[in-house]
Amino acid sequence: MSEYTGDVTLNGGIETPVRMSGLEDMYVQPDSIDGDLDLRNVEYVFTGVPITPAADVADPVTDITGTLEDGYTEPDGVHGDLAVGTAEDVFIAHGAVDGALSARGPEQVFDAGTSDAPSRDPATYDVTVSGWQQQREVTDPNTGVVLSGCQSTVNVTGATGSVSCYLIGTNNELIVRGDASVEVHIVGRDNRVDLGPYIDVDTAVETGFDNTIDVQPFPADDLIETTEDEAYSAVTFGRAKVTYQSVAEDEDWCRGCGEAADAIIERQQKEAFFILGTPIITYEEGGGSYECEHCAHSAPDTSLTPEERREIF
């Protein structure tokens, strides 16, 4: 029997079968146990794979006890079977256990089912962050991020293409900025994913409760190619027709494409007599087409045409 104090991490250098008793929480990362996992007398189980019939774990070769806090299994961390007893919350990623996964006497099980596998193996992700109150900055990820533990924050910048994010645990925060399609998987509770305005959520799977995925609204100003002031300033003297765009206030759906949208702009025109960029006499003005973040890629060019420039001069 081995006496430990504090957190315990299984990283491949221990004889199996292993038994851990008296944990607070347990975090089981992807591809970390190549045998069976048997949970006994734990409270909540959050699992990315279904519970199977009782695992047949032999008497332990290594018995870990003492004044334990949290337990962690790293990828390729347990070469054999693991038994966990008398823990509070246990968080198990998809693909964490090669063998059987059993839970005897839990208070409640949150089970993802068989259809919630990530599109790519979390073992191939760029970065794995594990532990309590960890802080990490990640730039330009190629595949994804695994965040495992409690009260940790990972800030991802420069995300492009397709990126996957896997949260395992409780009270973690993942912040993603860039221009990318992000696949989100969560196993746990009270986690938050904060996605920037240019991020598309490709797939969002949650196993647990009180998790949130927030996508910041698209800034309407980013859709404006020519503001009213810019259009006016292009006219020095004379009668001219100018075209510009402005934010459409109090609009929830786009009149151009019919989609519900966060950012809606209106294309407007004004024909006036200008002196040094200031309209002195207005002959005609009005609104026209509407555009939003969904259809603005086909928005017409708001710059002055050659005919309009000749009319100005």
Side-chain angles (χ1 to χ4, degrees):
M1 181 177 296
S2 302
E3 294 283 336
Y4 286 84
T5 299
D7 294 344
V8 178
T9 299
L10 303 181
N11 55 16
I14 198 165
E15 290 189 83
T16 60
V18 181
R19 180 170 61 194
M20 304 176 70
S21 302
L23 290 166
E24 293 184 4
D25 296 331
M26 182 77 187
Y27 305 91
V28 186
Q29 295 184 32
D31 298 301
S32 60
I33 301 173
D34 62 15
D36 296 343
L37 174 58
D38 185 21
L39 308 176
R40 302 190 181 191
N41 299 318
V42 301
E43 294 187 11
Y44 283 4
V45 178
F46 302 83
T47 171
V49 289
I51 300 294
T52 56
D56 185 16
V57 176
D59 291 337
V61 173
T62 305
D63 198 348
I64 299 174
T65 187
T67 309
L68 304 183
E69 294 181 2
D70 295 335
Y72 300 87
T73 63
E74 293 186 348
D76 202 31
V78 180
H79 300 290
D81 297 338
L82 172 64
V84 176
T86 322
E88 294 181 8
D89 295 343
V90 179
F91 306 92
I92 307 166
H94 190 279
V97 182
D98 286 346
L101 169 61
S102 63
R104 313 183 198 198
E107 183 175 325
Q108 192 167 0
V109 174
F110 297 89
D111 188 334
T114 58
S115 62
D116 294 330
S119 61
R120 56 166 61 99
D121 185 354
T124 66
Y125 292 2
D126 302 280
V127 177
T128 296
V129 178
S130 180
W132 180 69
Q133 293 188 341
Q134 300 295 305
Q135 304 286 329
R136 182 71 67 86
E137 299 287 332
V138 178
T139 304
D140 300 328
N142 292 317
T143 52
V145 176
V146 176
L147 174 53
S148 173
C150 177
Q151 298 182 22
S152 294
T153 301
V154 173
N155 187 15
V156 179
T157 56
T160 58
S162 177
V163 177
S164 300
C165 299
Y166 206 140
L167 274 72
I168 309 155
T170 177
N171 287 290
N172 297 298
E173 183 174 33
L174 177 67
I175 303 166
V176 183
R177 297 292 184 268
D179 186 359
S181 176
V182 176
E183 179 184 78
V184 178
H185 286 255
I186 303 176
V187 174
R189 58 179 176 83
D190 299 301
N191 297 288
R192 178 173 179 262
V193 180
D194 179 1
L195 303 175
Y198 310 106
I199 300 293
D200 292 326
V201 181
D202 179 45
T203 303
V205 176
E206 175 196 350
T207 303
F209 59 88
D210 293 339
N211 300 299
T212 59
I213 300 174
D214 297 326
V215 181
Q216 294 187 353
F218 195 98
D221 287 344
D222 282 9
L223 300 179
I224 295 178
E225 298 177 2
T226 303
T227 66
E228 185 176 9
D229 289 343
E230 290 170 343
Y232 290 175
S233 65
V235 185
T236 304
F237 181 83
R239 181 169 176 169
K241 180 184 293 184
V242 297
T243 303
Y244 58 91
Q245 293 165 313
S246 61
V247 177
E249 303 290 348
D250 302 322
E251 296 283 348
D252 296 324
W253 57 276
C254 178
R255 301 184 190 183
C257 66
E259 293 282 343
D262 294 319
I264 303 173
I265 59 174
E266 182 181 7
R267 180 178 170 89
Q268 298 185 348
Q269 290 184 337
K270 176 181 289 226
E271 185 176 1
F273 187 88
F274 291 85
I275 297 178
L276 299 176
T278 301
I280 305 302
I281 302 173
T282 298
Y283 303 105
E284 184 179 356
E285 66 179 331
S289 61
Y290 287 79
E291 303 143 16
C292 69
E293 69 263 32
H294 305 296
C295 63
H297 62 278
S298 58
D301 186 3
T302 59
S303 60
L304 296 175
T305 66
E307 291 77 13
E308 289 172 335
R309 293 186 182 278
R310 282 196 294 271
E311 185 177 349
I312 290 172
F313 296 106

